[in-house]
Amino acid sequence: MKLIIKTTEDSKIIEDGPQNPVRVVHTTGTIDAIREFIRSRHQNGFLNLENMAQDNILRSAQIIPPGSSTGRSDVGAVMMKVASQLFPDITTISFASNGLRSLAPISSVAQFFPNILNLSFKGNEIRNYRDLENLSGTKKLPNLREIIFLDNPLRDRDIAKHKDDISYRSEITRLFPSIQYLDQQPVGPKISFGLGDIVDAKSKTASLPVPIRGNFFDSPDTQAMVLEFLTTYFKLFDTNRTLLEHMYDISATFSVSTNITISPTQRSKGRGGDNWSEYTESARNLSRLKDLSDRTKRLHVGNQDIVKEGLMPLPETKHDLTDASKFSVDAWQTGSLLPAVCIYIMVHGEYEQAPVRGRGYTKSFDRSFIIAPAPPNSSAAQHGWKCLIISDQLTVRQYNGPEAWQPEPELDVPGAVSSAVTSAFNAAGGAPPMTNTATGTTAIAPPPAAGVGPDPNQTPMQGISPEQHVKAQELQQLTGLNYPYSVQCLAAVGWDVQGGVILVNQERANIPADAWQVPRF
């Protein structure tokens, strides 16, 4: 039988007990050589294990390091065990230039250095993402801050395939979610999506499902302006898209993308995919479009190009604005993001698409707008629009219903936002057109309840009493008229607010565009 002689100290390394997977049997000379090697490669918490095949200490002891196909699979585990005993304060290890084809040979680093901060695998032969799984995940290396895979076939091939490193960086950060630096570059800030206290500080995970809240507006002014904008926009989108030309800025952008994945709702009902033929020529799906000219062609710039080439080719639609539960609206002012202060709007909802080959379709959609106040002399203002569209992005999806955003009762939005959404949407169905007396053009009149609120800093007009001033601002709130026209209207009805409301509704079609309030952002 083979005789093996070992010291007590060597026994701790070679056979460490039933819970330790290290079961290495080496000679005392081998263990001593590994100790000497580790000491020679350590400095101030950094363990340099680069290019181990050329190390004189290991070559003299005839130790084949991890990465070689002819070496023992347990050498890496012995090295990590020895290193943890000699230098437990190690925070950084470099395995560069070792010919590693996977992380399996050195996977014991997670066992012996669970709090390691930095790892480098530069210049190895790693080719597939599955070869990283021996060390991936937050449970194995929860504190890992930086990892390097430069000069590996995995990285080089992925970047060459996709023409950029977006897919590669996304996959690595998925496998190693704790890292802050990848290949010596920041991976970007983590996005919490407003989870706040829902995220557990210790586990850094969210308790799901996250409570669902209702529509969000950062102020009553934003709410009024956005609801008026959306009801008018969607009505024209469904009935006469050519009138939308004046609503887009001359440098505005528009694009549409499609998500053709069959939704869980469709799958549960046994339905297959929808018809997407009418979107094929215009969809700007960047994950599929790699050619720069195709990407550029499908991004529409300017009001005329947007309407003629972007909106008109899309199939006919019908947005049921009488049921606000089918829509979710979030909107907030963006500060000085653009030259003018803007409002960012995100809408989730659904619409009925015109039948294709005799069959109609219900589509879900996401739409994001950036709108800004329309300058007084702009085409938008002359056609009765209070704001301009700066950016418009539309994503169309398989129908999945509105259940995802229906608020839990105790978390419903404060005040009367939900009822205001319903009121504004309902009003859009019957609002009479508004004619600009100067140009003769027609637009859809804003609903009475959705007017922008009066300016609290407005000073009374000359000859107007404080009581009349208050009534003028009340009429502004109820009708959407600006202050001078509110005063003029009330003077005509003997300063009766209700009479003023009736008069505005009766004459709405003849009220000029400049009589309506300009949004205060």
Side-chain angles (χ1 to χ4, degrees):
M1 297 180 64
K2 184 177 181 180
L3 177 64
I4 299 174
I5 301 175
K6 53 190 178 184
T7 68
T8 304
E9 182 64 23
D10 290 338
S11 178
K12 293 180 181 179
I13 298 174
I14 298 170
E15 297 184 35
D16 198 40
Q19 294 182 346
N20 195 319
V22 181
R23 294 288 182 273
V24 186
V25 179
H26 284 291
T27 65
T28 301
T30 299
I31 300 300
D32 288 340
I34 291 177
R35 285 200 190 97
E36 182 183 359
F37 166 71
I38 294 296
R39 289 191 181 98
S40 71
R41 293 295 190 105
H42 175 266
Q43 184 176 8
N44 298 327
F46 171 53
L47 184 59
N48 182 354
L49 299 184
E50 300 177 359
N51 197 16
M52 291 185 283
Q54 302 301 317
D55 187 86
N56 292 330
I57 297 175
L58 297 182
R59 296 180 69 177
S60 298
Q62 297 184 336
I63 298 174
I64 301 176
S68 173
S69 59
T70 60
R72 294 178 57 125
S73 61
D74 49 24
V75 175
V78 174
M79 287 184 173
M80 293 300 98
K81 178 64 176 179
V82 170
S84 67
Q85 290 185 337
L86 294 176
F87 307 106
D89 63 338
I90 290 174
T91 59
T92 302
I93 303 177
S94 175
F95 293 100
S97 305
N98 282 301
L100 292 169
R101 293 177 175 82
S102 81
L103 302 187
I106 50 84
S107 61
S108 56
V109 70
Q111 175 190 350
F112 297 110
F113 294 99
N115 297 317
I116 196 75
L117 298 178
N118 313 293
L119 288 172
S120 173
F121 300 99
K122 182 180 179 180
N124 282 284
E125 296 297 326
I126 301 170
R127 298 178 179 274
N128 300 296
Y129 289 111
R130 64 174 178 270
D131 294 325
L132 309 180
E133 294 176 354
N134 295 93
L135 280 181
S136 64
T138 55
K139 293 183 178 179
K140 296 177 183 177
L141 298 173
N143 298 315
L144 186 64
R145 182 182 62 186
E146 179 178 9
I147 199 165
I148 296 175
F149 289 110
L150 293 169
D151 301 327
N152 275 273
L154 166 69
R155 180 182 186 274
D156 298 339
R157 184 173 57 190
D158 200 312
I159 292 176
K161 177 182 177 181
H162 295 97
K163 304 293 190 299
D164 56 44
D165 65 350
I166 296 175
S167 175
Y168 158 76
R169 296 181 72 84
S170 175
E171 185 64 20
I172 295 298
T173 52
R174 183 188 69 82
L175 292 169
F176 301 93
S178 65
I179 62 172
Q180 301 174 26
Y181 292 88
L182 171 59
D183 299 336
Q184 301 173 336
Q185 297 293 327
V187 298
K190 293 293 188 295
I191 303 175
S192 66
F193 293 101
L195 295 180
D197 297 336
I198 298 170
V199 178
D200 181 73
K202 185 175 182 181
S203 65
K204 298 181 180 179
T205 59
S207 175
L208 297 174
V210 175
I212 302 173
R213 301 180 184 273
N215 302 287
F216 170 79
F217 302 94
D218 64 352
S219 72
D221 286 348
T222 299
Q223 175 188 335
M225 176 54 58
V226 167
L227 294 182
E228 178 181 327
F229 163 78
L230 292 178
T231 53
T232 309
Y233 182 91
F234 284 130
K235 186 173 181 63
L236 290 181
F237 189 87
D238 292 343
T239 59
N240 192 348
R241 294 177 190 170
T242 57
L243 293 179
L244 293 172
E245 179 180 327
H246 305 287
M247 199 170 189
Y248 285 90
D249 186 69
I250 58 174
S251 60
T253 59
F254 168 77
S255 65
V256 59
S257 62
T258 56
N259 183 348
I260 63 176
T261 304
I262 300 177
S263 70
T265 298
Q266 297 244 26
R267 190 178 291 109
S268 66
K269 295 180 179 179
R271 293 183 57 183
D274 289 347
N275 187 294
W276 296 96
S277 60
E278 295 187 81
Y279 298 90
T280 303
E281 295 300 321
S282 57
R284 190 173 184 258
N285 293 25
L286 299 184
S287 60
R288 300 190 187 98
L289 292 177
K290 301 302 180 183
D291 185 76
L292 181 59
S293 62
D294 285 339
R295 291 184 172 188
T296 303
K297 181 176 65 176
R298 301 189 188 194
L299 177 64
H300 303 287
V301 181
N303 55 341
Q304 295 183 359
D305 181 51
I306 288 174
V307 173
K308 182 179 179 181
E309 304 296 335
L311 302 183
M312 297 303 295
L314 296 177
E316 295 181 8
T317 60
K318 180 181 179 181
H319 296 74
D320 183 9
L321 301 181
T322 62
D323 186 355
S325 67
K326 295 181 178 180
F327 300 87
S328 174
V329 183
D330 296 329
W332 59 94
Q333 296 188 22
T334 60
S336 300
L337 177 67
L338 295 170
V341 179
C342 302
I343 292 180
Y344 183 91
I345 308 171
M346 174 61 73
V347 186
H348 307 283
E350 62 186 66
Y351 61 75
E352 296 295 325
Q353 179 180 312
V356 177
R357 294 197 274 286
R359 177 186 170 189
Y361 295 90
T362 301
K363 302 285 193 186
S364 290
F365 74 91
D366 309 303
R367 197 153 190 173
S368 60
F369 295 97
I370 297 179
I371 64 174
N377 297 324
S378 65
S379 176
Q382 293 174 4
H383 287 78
W385 296 104
K386 297 180 182 178
C387 43
L388 277 172
I389 300 174
I390 304 298
S391 175
D392 179 8
Q393 291 181 309
L394 170 63
T395 300
V396 185
R397 298 178 284 109
Q398 300 270 7
Y399 179 69
N400 207 29
E403 291 80 7
W405 57 74
Q406 290 182 355
E408 298 178 12
E410 65 274 15
L411 292 176
D412 205 353
V413 289
V417 173
S418 293
S419 60
V421 173
T422 303
S423 299
F425 280 177
N426 286 340
M434 177 178 64
T435 301
N436 186 311
T437 56
T439 63
T441 55
T442 301
I444 303 300
V452 177
D455 185 355
N457 298 319
Q458 175 71 51
T459 58
M461 292 180 62
Q462 186 175 4
I464 300 299
S465 69
E467 292 79 14
Q468 291 172 335
H469 174 71
V470 171
K471 289 183 177 182
Q473 291 199 310
E474 184 179 355
L475 187 64
Q476 279 188 270
Q477 184 69 52
L478 293 172
T479 64
L481 284 178
N482 60 29
Y483 184 77
Y485 275 86
S486 294
V487 171
Q488 181 180 341
C489 177
L490 286 173
V493 295
W495 292 96
D496 177 60
V497 175
Q498 293 302 318
V501 172
I502 294 173
L503 179 61
V504 170
N505 289 334
Q506 290 176 345
E507 300 296 327
R508 186 175 292 271
N510 299 316
I511 297 176
D514 60 359
W516 304 104
Q517 297 172 49
V518 176
R520 290 182 294 104
F521 290 93

